[in-house]
Amino acid sequence: MIITIDGPAAAGKGTLSQKLAQKYKLAYFDTGMIYRAVGIDLITKNIDPDNDVQALKSAENMTFSKMMELSKHSEFRSNLGGQAASKVASKTPVRQALLKMQQDFAHNPQFADGQQAQGVVYDGRDTGTVVCPNADIKIFITASPEVRAMRRHKEFLEKGITSDYNEVLAQTKERDLRDSSRASAPLKPANDAIIIDTSDMSIEDVYNNVCQIIDSKKQ
Ligand code: C5P
């Protein structure tokens, strides 16, 4: 079974996707990690993430193990890492270079320990539209920029990362704009995706709602 969970930054995709993967015994692929890995790869080499040639070179050489190694970098999950990821992700050749790696995973899905899985939960922006247009279940989750920025802000504070709400809100809007206006695979729900606005919902509510959708489709 292939499930895609797409949506803007901080909509709650990660938590939801991981809980679903656990419940339905599916592998989990956080596709944002590969764009973050390319962004961090450039930052560590003192290269501007806007550099087309170098971003493509990094994407062409990206592998799973390299991505896991780069994910240990202290800025990997920070705003800096997110902004760099969003910049490299706006480049069509970079997206094309990273597409096969994402699609191949569905043919040979594996758990973190290397064991074979019977399917995947993809978490991203275009997994229902471009990566897996034939997915069994497509969910698009969203929330207002203010709600998402507040969630991110609290997350940073809980992790001991200095954060300013207004700055996080401005960056959330900037990333939304870049993600939804790029020429290649702009952020938008697939025609057959189920759209859920989580602004006034708890994580548990969203999870229960999506489980019901999956269970009804499985019958
Ligand atoms: O989900 P996450 O915040 O880790 O993603 C980082 C950035 O990677 C996003 O802002 C987006 O620009 C890009 N991305 C993408 N397509 C995906 C996943 C992430 O363009 N499938």
Side-chain angles (χ1 to χ4, degrees):
M1 177 164 56
I2 308 288
I3 301 174
T4 59
I5 310 287
D6 290 311
K13 302 184 300 289
T15 313
L16 173 66
S17 306
Q18 285 173 68
K19 276 169 80 83
L20 293 174
Q22 208 169 10
K23 177 175 164 88
Y24 295 100
K25 300 190 172 45
L26 300 169
Y28 168 59
F29 194 163
D30 172 3
T31 61
M33 281 183 73
I34 50 176
Y35 296 99
R36 283 180 186 265
V38 172
I40 290 295
D41 186 31
L42 298 176
I43 287 173
T44 54
K45 292 173 181 158
N46 274 325
I47 298 170
D48 185 346
D50 276 326
N51 184 319
D52 292 347
V53 175
Q54 294 300 325
L56 178 58
K57 194 171 155 198
S58 170
E60 284 174 341
N61 290 315
M62 193 48 65
T63 60
F64 252 93
S65 54
K66 212 165 169 186
M67 176 181 90
M68 295 315 289
E69 199 49 43
L70 286 160
S71 74
K72 294 177 193 154
H73 192 282
S74 60
E75 295 289 355
F76 193 79
R77 290 280 167 200
S78 74
N79 257 325
L80 180 74
Q83 292 293 340
S86 150
K87 285 181 186 168
V88 298
S90 68
K91 303 177 195 305
T92 303
V94 168
R95 300 195 74 82
Q96 280 166 353
L98 297 171
L99 184 58
K100 191 171 181 304
M101 182 176 155
Q102 297 172 77
Q103 292 179 326
D104 282 350
F105 193 75
H107 301 130
N108 185 22
Q110 290 182 356
F111 294 109
D113 64 3
Q115 292 244 30
Q116 196 71 28
Q118 295 304 312
V120 192
V121 179
Y122 279 96
D123 160 354
R125 302 289 189 290
D126 62 342
T127 66
T129 49
V130 177
V131 179
C132 287
N134 298 323
D136 302 290
I137 296 165
K138 300 179 186 177
I139 308 286
F140 188 90
I141 67 168
T142 186
S144 70
E146 289 74 16
V147 168
R148 289 185 287 117
M150 186 50 81
R151 287 179 187 163
R152 256 296 131 89
H153 172 62
K154 283 185 181 162
E155 221 176 272
F156 285 142
L157 295 182
E158 274 164 24
K159 287 182 186 157
I161 301 170
T162 316
S163 177
D164 175 87
Y165 169 73
N166 287 320
E167 213 174 285
V168 179
L169 178 61
Q171 284 164 349
T172 301
K173 288 182 175 171
E174 193 188 320
R175 260 172 76 179
D176 281 358
L177 183 67
R178 203 183 292 123
D179 286 350
S180 53
S181 60
R182 66 182 171 225
S184 176
L187 174 68
K188 67 170 173 69
N191 289 336
D192 50 350
I194 295 164
I195 302 171
I196 304 175
D197 187 328
T198 70
S199 299
D200 299 315
M201 290 170 84
S202 67
I203 286 172
E204 273 311 302
D205 288 342
V206 181
Y207 172 67
N208 291 331
N209 194 320
V210 175
C211 287
Q212 275 178 13
I213 295 168
I214 296 172
D215 293 340
S216 68
K217 287 234 177 190
K218 278 175 79 184
Q219 278 164 14

